[in-house]
Amino acid sequence: MPQTCLYRETFEGRLHALDGFLESMKGTMKHLTITYLPGDQMERFSKLVFPNMRVLDYMADETDDWVNDSDIKIIVDCFPHLESLKLTGMSKGNNIYQMRNIRHLDIAQCWNLSVACIENVCEHLRLRVLCVQWRRSEEKAYVGAISKLNELEELEVEVVQQESIPQLMRLPKLRKLRIITNHECELVRDIAVLRGKDIISASFNDSIWLWTTKTWMPCRNLRNLTIINDEGCSWVKFRRVILCFPLLEQVHLENSRIFDTADELWDLVSICPHLKRLAMSHCILYNVFFKFDAARMGAVLDKRTQPLLLQCFKTSADDLVLQLFKHPKLKIFFEALEYSPVAPEAIELEFLPLEA
């Protein structure tokens, strides 16, 4: 979907030119980013309706004193069929609930939202995706409201207290949860106890090493595992974690130092009989990495019923990988793997929903 970006400098002092631009785009515009437009420019939108607009990223100008969220009221009136909204700034969120077609709402960088706002949003909107933050003192009210979103499939929050996990885990259609753990081990342990059998994909940024294998024992249906910036995680420790996931089909290591030598890589392949893809991105492979037992590699790959895809991207040693990793059941690609990056100390879990 083509995206249009409006910056305050573009039409500063040229309001008539902005009028002409908006008039020419009102019938075709579908995706718009508004960045820090001052009040006199935002008010030009109030004359028009954009019937085909579906996606809006609105970064409010925090220097303007919008009375009663009048800028949000303009958005409500101008974009009646909006389906996705990312909102940044000091808005109190008073009018968001009036955008009844919104299914994807990102208000994680709104610092002034009221509890009434989130309660109205959750009561009136049939959200599928919600990105939000809250003050710890308001978490109970926020979680209570969010727990009523029976169609919610994806939830992203910054910090969650342990007491909130049972309610969130009962969301019937939840497929993806992204949280910053702040090294609170009990948080993930409770998720694993309540929904471990439903977790099919997990991504960690410098945090996998925090939890013992006991935490991961319920997660035996995990298929995809992504590890980013695994400082503090040795192969010995990681191997114990991997053994908790007997159905793994894909492992992705980003900026990883887990493997000292390729022997450990082939050990990983040997203990994951269902592994289809092993991806390594931005990993520095030193010469010592390639001092490995080639016979062991051959024996591991000989046992496989299907070829293994080894996908490397910016590993610093493409020539050596091609030269030394040769086998009929090994396919090597040098390209980036599409995945969702997660922030430091964050985790992303994907579930089979409680209800289809």
Side-chain angles (χ1 to χ4, degrees), residues 303-353:
K303 293 180 180 179
R304 295 182 57 85
T305 58
Q306 298 293 330
L308 173 71
L309 175 59
L310 179 62
Q311 187 165 342
C312 302
F313 181 68
K314 294 188 177 181
T315 57
S316 75
D318 294 356
D319 291 344
L320 285 174
V321 169
L322 284 174
Q323 177 185 340
L324 299 176
F325 293 169
K326 292 183 177 180
H327 192 278
K329 292 183 179 178
L330 180 63
K331 295 182 179 180
I332 300 175
F333 289 85
F334 297 99
E335 57 186 42
L337 179 71
E338 291 188 12
Y339 73 104
S340 300
V342 295
E345 298 183 14
I347 65 171
E348 179 181 282
L349 302 174
E350 294 187 32
F351 304 86
L352 293 173

Side-chain angles (χ1 to χ4, degrees), residues 59-184:
M59 288 172 269
D61 186 347
E62 297 175 7
T63 64
D64 276 305
D65 185 17
W66 294 101
V67 178
N68 295 324
D69 282 358
S70 55
D71 58 334
I72 306 301
K73 185 66 168 63
I74 291 173
I75 290 172
V76 172
D77 294 338
C78 287
F79 309 126
H81 303 296
L82 205 61
E83 297 174 357
S84 176
L85 172 64
K86 181 176 182 179
L87 184 63
T88 304
M90 304 303 291
S91 167
K92 293 181 174 61
N94 295 332
N95 301 300
I96 295 175
Y97 76 95
Q98 297 177 14
M99 293 182 263
R100 298 302 174 87
N101 294 307
I102 293 288
R103 298 294 178 263
H104 184 148
L105 180 62
D106 185 344
I107 47 177
Q109 296 182 54
C110 289
W111 316 110
N112 246 11
L113 295 179
S114 64
V115 170
C117 162
I118 198 68
E119 289 175 339
N120 281 329
V121 162
C122 294
E123 179 181 352
H124 293 97
L125 302 185
R126 298 170 59 186
L127 294 178
R128 294 195 180 99
V129 180
L130 174 63
C131 305
V132 67
Q133 64 162 327
W134 51 64
R135 300 176 184 88
R136 180 151 288 197
S137 61
E138 298 173 344
E139 179 170 338
K140 185 175 181 180
Y142 269 68
V143 172
I146 292 169
S147 66
K148 299 175 183 178
L149 291 171
N150 290 328
E151 296 185 32
L152 193 68
E153 297 178 6
E154 298 184 22
L155 175 63
E156 179 176 333
V157 297
E158 285 199 5
V159 180
V160 180
Q161 297 185 69
Q162 187 179 358
E163 294 78 12
S164 300
I165 293 301
Q167 273 185 287
L168 296 178
M169 290 297 97
R170 287 195 292 269
L171 286 165
K173 294 190 177 181
L174 186 67
R175 295 179 181 272
K176 184 180 293 186
L177 174 68
R178 182 180 292 200
I179 57 175
I180 294 177
T181 64
N182 283 338
H183 292 176
E184 295 182 21

Side-chain angles (χ1 to χ4, degrees), residues 173-348:
K173 294 190 177 181
L174 186 67
R175 295 179 181 272
K176 184 180 293 186
L177 174 68
R178 182 180 292 200
I179 57 175
I180 294 177
T181 64
N182 283 338
H183 292 176
E184 295 182 21
C185 298
E186 294 82 2
L187 201 68
V188 176
R189 181 200 64 195
D190 289 355
I191 293 173
V193 168
L194 293 169
R195 297 289 304 278
K197 64 180 177 56
D198 298 324
I199 298 175
I200 56 173
S201 181
S203 299
F204 301 85
N205 190 328
D206 194 20
S207 59
I208 185 70
W209 48 271
L210 289 170
W211 297 280
T212 66
T213 54
K214 184 177 179 180
T215 299
W216 303 121
M217 290 305 293
C219 307
R220 298 183 64 80
N221 292 316
L222 190 75
R223 296 314 201 263
N224 297 327
L225 177 64
T226 295
I227 306 295
I228 305 169
N229 301 324
D230 51 42
E231 298 292 337
C233 187
S234 66
W235 166 243
V236 173
K237 184 180 295 186
F238 189 57
R239 190 182 196 277
R240 289 197 293 266
V241 172
I242 289 292
L243 288 171
C244 297
F245 311 133
L247 300 179
L248 268 180
E249 297 177 357
Q250 175 174 295
V251 174
H252 178 210
L253 303 177
E254 164 88 22
N255 190 27
S256 171
R257 298 183 181 178
I258 285 178
F259 299 137
D260 289 328
T261 75
D263 286 322
E264 294 167 346
L265 182 153
W266 299 117
D267 191 20
L268 168 66
V269 176
S270 72
I271 62 177
C272 297
H274 299 281
L275 192 67
K276 297 177 181 178
R277 183 193 306 263
L278 173 58
M280 297 189 294
S281 306
H282 300 96
C283 300
I284 299 176
L285 303 180
Y286 296 100
N287 288 337
V288 68
F289 175 81
F290 294 99
K291 295 180 179 179
F292 68 100
D293 185 349
R296 167 66 172 157
M297 176 189 75
V300 169
L301 293 171
D302 283 341
K303 293 180 180 179
R304 295 182 57 85
T305 58
Q306 298 293 330
L308 173 71
L309 175 59
L310 179 62
Q311 187 165 342
C312 302
F313 181 68
K314 294 188 177 181
T315 57
S316 75
D318 294 356
D319 291 344
L320 285 174
V321 169
L322 284 174
Q323 177 185 340
L324 299 176
F325 293 169
K326 292 183 177 180
H327 192 278
K329 292 183 179 178
L330 180 63
K331 295 182 179 180
I332 300 175
F333 289 85
F334 297 99
E335 57 186 42
L337 179 71
E338 291 188 12
Y339 73 104
S340 300
V342 295
E345 298 183 14
I347 65 171
E348 179 181 282

